[in-house]
Amino acid sequence: MSKKLLHFAESAVCDLEDIQAYYAEQGVPHVGTRLVGEIIGAVELLRDQPDMGRMVPEFGQEFLRELIRPPFRLVYRREPERISIVRVWRSERLLRFVDAAPR
């Protein structure tokens, strides 16, 4: 079985940049660098083990999965030829669809 390609969506890249910026603002840029390195390391495992993450409970779609690496949720799409990292969010944050209809 060949390794899948890894792709980072722009939203995930922005999330990683925001993590680094936050810790830099807090005066501990090394923490941001360490966390982003750990996130990249966890995501690398998906190339060989694309099913290691669980389905995202808010959506229940087999192709949309996540790895929990406290304090983050690494949300990804499992596609035939690649793994697309979609978001890197705080683990306590829930994903939701945007509802454009007025309530």
Side-chain angles (χ1 to χ4, degrees), residues 49-64:
Q49 304 171 53
D51 294 328
M52 71 184 283
R54 69 178 187 174
M55 279 194 309
V56 177
E58 294 92 330
F59 297 110
Q61 300 291 322
E62 184 66 30
F63 67 88
L64 190 61

Side-chain angles (χ1 to χ4, degrees), residues 66-77:
E66 67 183 354
L67 291 176
I68 304 298
R69 295 295 185 265
F72 300 105
R73 297 173 78 179
L74 316 177
V75 181
Y76 66 97
R77 288 180 58 101

Side-chain angles (χ1 to χ4, degrees), residues 30-44:
H30 62 283
V31 173
T33 300
R34 179 181 55 81
L35 287 172
V36 168
E38 289 173 3
I39 290 166
I40 300 291
V43 165
E44 280 287 330

Side-chain angles (χ1 to χ4, degrees), residues 1-92:
M1 183 172 162
S2 64
K3 291 185 177 190
K4 292 188 180 266
L5 295 174
L6 263 180
H7 171 262
F8 282 80
E10 185 176 340
S11 54
V13 172
C14 290
D15 292 339
L16 294 174
E17 290 171 347
D18 288 347
I19 290 166
Q20 287 193 299
Y22 172 79
Y23 287 100
E25 289 170 8
Q26 300 304 308
V28 287
H30 62 283
V31 173
T33 300
R34 179 181 55 81
L35 287 172
V36 168
E38 289 173 3
I39 290 166
I40 300 291
V43 165
E44 280 287 330
L45 296 173
L46 294 172
R47 296 180 72 208
D48 290 321
Q49 304 171 53
D51 294 328
M52 71 184 283
R54 69 178 187 174
M55 279 194 309
V56 177
E58 294 92 330
F59 297 110
Q61 300 291 322
E62 184 66 30
F63 67 88
L64 190 61
R65 304 180 78 82
E66 67 183 354
L67 291 176
I68 304 298
R69 295 295 185 265
F72 300 105
R73 297 173 78 179
L74 316 177
V75 181
Y76 66 97
R77 288 180 58 101
R78 190 186 62 197
E79 300 172 4
E81 299 298 321
R82 71 181 187 176
I83 300 296
S84 293
I85 310 307
V86 180
R87 297 305 306 245
V88 179
W89 279 351
R90 296 286 303 191
S91 55
E92 68 273 7

